[in-house]
Amino acid sequence: MKHKPVTDYWPSKARIIEFGVRDGAVGDQLIAAGFRYLGVVETDRQAERLGSRHPRLQRHLSVCRVATRVRQNNADVLLLSGGAAAHLRRFRDIRHAIYVVCPLGNGPLLLWTILFWLGQFLLLRLAWPRIVRVGRTRLISFRVRRPRPYSATRRFVPQAIGIEGFFQRLQAAGSRHVVLRWFESLPLLPAGEDLDLLVDDESLSAVRELLDGGPGLQAVDLYSVCGSPGADYQKLPYYPPYLADQLLKRSAMHRELCAVPSPRDHFLSLAYHALYHKGTASGLPASGQSKPTASRPEHDYASILEHMAKRLGITVPITLADLDAYLDRAGWRPPHDMLVRLSRKNKWLRALVKHAVDDEADDGLAVFLVRREALNRGGVKRAAKLIAEHGFHVIETITIDPLRQETTARSIRGGNWGQGPWPVSGGPPVAAIVVYDPTPLRPTQRQRRKFPYLANARLLKKDQIRDAFNAKLPANEHCNVIHSSDNGREARDYLRVISPERVDEILASVRRTQQRQSRAA
């Protein structure tokens, strides 16, 4: 029976990664056929032997013994030769590939391969196999029905250029970037360690294209300043955009290879990661009186942060609570609505958010954000007038600087300013109205269930303000023209984003208003 060559079956630009390379003949012929090929062996001696036998292979071999290597790569075609077929245990280890392939002459492991395929075929995960040919070698090829390739945050450095070549190309292209942590030994990285990379949004497409240029094993977690789709963390920017932009601007070159955070930013950004991304999984104690709850954190964050703080002359106990307070004073605490979203997968953070909104001293403070479409329907003055009519004292109206509008949009409301349930989008925020309510209304239980962090039920009057802006327009043109903070903590965070240089001045005006209202009462 004549079997089709792989050139008639696999896409010509497929990235092929072969594990358990035996004699190198298959890889040599795949390279000759124009495929992007990478062969993975476990020792330098194996690589040397295969390279001497097939000179074409020398630049296409990698030595890797990491246990997760079969799962952590960007292969379109996953070729499991020799004993590598024993890795066929769990579907999640291969679902990133489009095709999973094993040689027909794979000895006893061929039976295991067939049994694995049969189980996954019955679960509708793998399609009916085909027999294909590479030279004289016959391969059994299974197509993954619904592959889940690494096409978002997780990417891989092409083996052909390596880490050093990757950064050289970033510099040549002028791509603004910063390696966030664990960069001390670069261009070398410990086995299994990821490269955490932050880039500006303008460079994102070019960096992705570079990373997708060939088969690779070195993982990169790629984030953009504004948290563009696929370069985000839980659908949020990795850091608030105004802080991420600071990281890029204040970065320094490391060994003339790559940009890394300045020493103080390195400490702040690592503490941020440990607290707000990891929480108790970081291994840090919640407070000075408690013990760490994670027995085996990925890194010894406590010792690393303690050493960094000592070197920088920073005096702060290395606990979740103390570092949170320090980051707050340093302006590195995430905005409240961002904390709320991050807390969904962070138990320690959920308790922190609840404690923050229980402070009733700020119940009367709020910030209304006026969105762009409101300018076409009466403008900011009309919004301020309607807000005042509903019982709020307007402290100040701030026009958001055009240069800061994008940062504001990305840092508040999870960066989501789309149309939502409305026919038309209200657009991003263009102005802020700072208000004080001398008699805040306690939310009902029903309102609390729907808005768990709402401190003042009067803020729900924004629905009537929206109705007023939409009143004389057809239903298909209705939109949400106004958004508000849920509580005083969130209001202060909004001000830090919108006008960081004037936060103290604005809050002083709020306190004077509180005092006048108290005397009048």
Side-chain angles (χ1 to χ4, degrees):
M1 181 177 178
K2 191 174 181 181
H3 302 295
K4 286 187 176 182
V6 292
T7 50
D8 293 346
Y9 187 45
W10 298 337
S12 59
K13 293 185 178 181
R15 293 170 300 211
I16 302 174
I17 301 183
E18 181 180 8
F19 292 91
V21 183
R22 291 185 293 188
D23 59 12
V26 171
D28 186 66
Q29 292 177 68
L30 288 171
I31 294 169
F35 286 108
R36 298 183 292 180
Y37 170 87
L38 174 63
V40 184
V41 296
E42 293 192 352
T43 67
D44 291 318
R45 188 174 180 180
Q46 284 178 289
E48 186 178 342
R49 176 176 58 82
L50 290 168
S52 62
R53 182 180 297 179
H54 301 284
R56 240 186 327 225
L57 273 183
Q58 290 179 357
R59 293 173 47 252
H60 300 271
L61 293 172
S62 176
V63 178
C64 182
R65 299 187 66 180
V66 177
T68 58
R69 62 191 185 278
V70 171
R71 183 174 58 186
Q72 291 292 329
N73 57 73
N74 61 356
D76 300 311
V77 178
L78 200 58
L79 178 51
L80 303 178
S81 299
H87 288 280
L88 291 175
R89 300 187 191 97
R90 297 171 299 189
F91 178 69
R92 68 177 184 176
D93 290 346
I94 62 166
R95 64 184 178 185
H96 62 282
I98 301 173
Y99 297 96
V100 182
V101 186
C102 293
L104 276 176
N106 216 18
L109 281 174
L110 180 60
L111 176 60
W112 172 253
T113 301
I114 298 296
L115 290 174
F116 175 82
W117 164 78
L118 181 60
Q120 301 304 318
F121 175 76
L122 294 174
L123 291 171
L124 303 179
R125 291 171 173 171
L126 294 179
W128 191 262
R130 292 195 181 197
I131 308 300
V132 295
R133 177 173 46 81
V134 177
R136 296 181 179 180
T137 304
R138 292 185 306 159
L139 307 168
I140 183 167
S141 178
F142 310 105
R143 181 176 58 82
V144 179
R145 288 183 181 272
R146 290 181 292 276
R148 296 177 61 181
Y150 294 105
S151 57
T153 303
R154 177 58 56 95
R155 303 280 171 141
F156 296 86
V157 178
Q159 181 68 25
I161 62 174
I163 290 178
E164 193 166 359
F166 170 64
F167 283 120
Q168 287 172 351
R169 297 192 185 193
L170 285 190
Q171 289 191 57
S175 299
R176 294 175 68 216
H177 70 279
V178 63
V179 181
L180 295 172
R181 51 188 168 268
W182 325 132
F183 49 75
E184 290 78 7
S185 62
L186 285 174
L188 300 177
L189 275 175
E193 187 64 73
D194 304 336
L195 194 65
D196 297 292
L197 188 66
L198 176 73
V199 301
D200 64 18
D201 290 79
E202 291 74 15
S203 302
L204 183 59
S205 294
V207 176
R208 281 175 170 167
E209 185 176 351
L210 179 58
L211 288 171
D212 294 341
L217 305 175
Q218 175 56 59
V220 178
D221 286 335
L222 181 63
Y223 306 100
S224 73
V225 168
C226 293
S228 296
D232 57 275
Y233 180 80
Q234 297 181 18
K235 298 186 178 179
L236 292 168
Y238 196 72
Y239 296 111
Y242 59 95
L243 294 177
D245 195 51
Q246 287 179 22
L247 277 170
L248 290 176
K249 287 178 178 177
R250 297 198 294 239
S251 64
M253 289 302 294
H254 175 69
R255 297 181 178 177
E256 298 184 358
L257 177 69
C258 59
V260 301
S262 66
R264 185 170 183 273
D265 282 350
H266 187 198
F267 174 79
L268 293 168
S269 61
L270 185 62
Y272 181 108
H273 172 63
L275 268 63
Y276 308 125
H277 295 158
K278 297 288 185 180
T280 54
S282 67
L284 298 179
S287 64
Q289 287 74 41
S290 60
K291 294 182 179 180
T293 56
S295 57
R296 293 184 179 180
E298 292 179 339
H299 296 277
D300 187 357
Y301 288 97
S303 297
I304 295 168
L305 288 169
E306 185 174 5
H307 177 72
M308 293 171 69
K310 186 176 181 179
R311 193 173 58 207
L312 292 166
I314 295 172
T315 305
V316 58
I318 307 301
T319 69
L320 295 173
D322 290 296
L323 284 170
D324 174 61
Y326 181 83
L327 292 178
D328 193 13
R329 293 193 299 272
W332 266 77
R333 201 177 202 244
H336 184 268
D337 59 350
M338 192 170 180
L339 278 178
V340 170
R341 288 171 176 256
L342 289 171
S343 71
R344 294 170 184 170
K345 296 185 178 180
N346 187 328
K347 185 178 179 180
W348 168 79
L349 202 50
R350 282 199 298 275
L352 179 72
V353 169
K354 185 178 186 304
H355 176 74
V357 299
D358 282 345
D359 181 5
E360 296 186 0
D362 290 324
D363 281 1
L365 176 64
V367 174
F368 286 89
L369 295 175
V370 182
R371 301 174 67 171
R372 181 177 293 158
E373 185 56 31
L375 301 180
N376 301 322
R377 307 184 181 198
V380 178
K381 286 186 178 180
R382 185 186 182 196
K385 183 175 181 293
L386 290 168
I387 290 169
E389 288 176 358
H390 285 291
F392 294 97
H393 182 87
V394 176
I395 304 293
E396 184 170 346
T397 297
I398 304 169
T399 300
I400 302 174
D401 187 291
L403 297 176
R404 195 167 276 162
Q405 285 180 11
E406 182 178 354
T407 298
T408 300
R410 289 291 184 180
S411 301
I412 294 174
R413 211 169 177 253
N416 182 6
W417 296 90
Q419 67 189 66
W422 301 81
V424 179
S425 170
V430 295
I433 301 173
V434 185
V435 303
Y436 175 70
D437 183 358
T439 56
L441 302 177
R442 184 181 295 275
T444 65
Q445 287 187 354
R446 184 177 180 182
Q447 290 168 337
R448 280 282 192 187
R449 282 195 295 271
K450 190 173 182 180
F451 308 102
Y453 300 107
L454 183 69
N456 181 4
R458 203 185 310 275
L459 290 167
L460 298 178
K461 296 291 184 181
K462 61 190 172 189
D463 289 336
Q464 296 177 30
I465 297 172
R466 292 166 182 160
D467 291 342
F469 272 86
N470 289 320
K472 296 182 180 181
L473 294 169
N476 62 354
E477 293 183 23
H478 286 190
C479 69
N480 177 1
V481 298
I482 200 161
H483 170 73
S484 75
S485 57
D486 278 348
N487 51 71
R489 177 72 202 221
E490 199 166 280
R492 291 200 305 273
D493 288 335
Y494 282 16
L495 292 175
R496 284 179 177 171
V497 175
I498 296 163
S499 187
E501 66 282 352
R502 295 193 58 236
V503 172
D504 291 341
E505 177 189 342
I506 295 169
L507 292 179
S509 295
V510 173
R511 286 192 293 272
R512 288 193 294 271
T513 300
Q514 288 175 319
Q515 291 166 1
R516 286 196 299 269
Q517 295 290 340
S518 296
R519 287 195 295 268

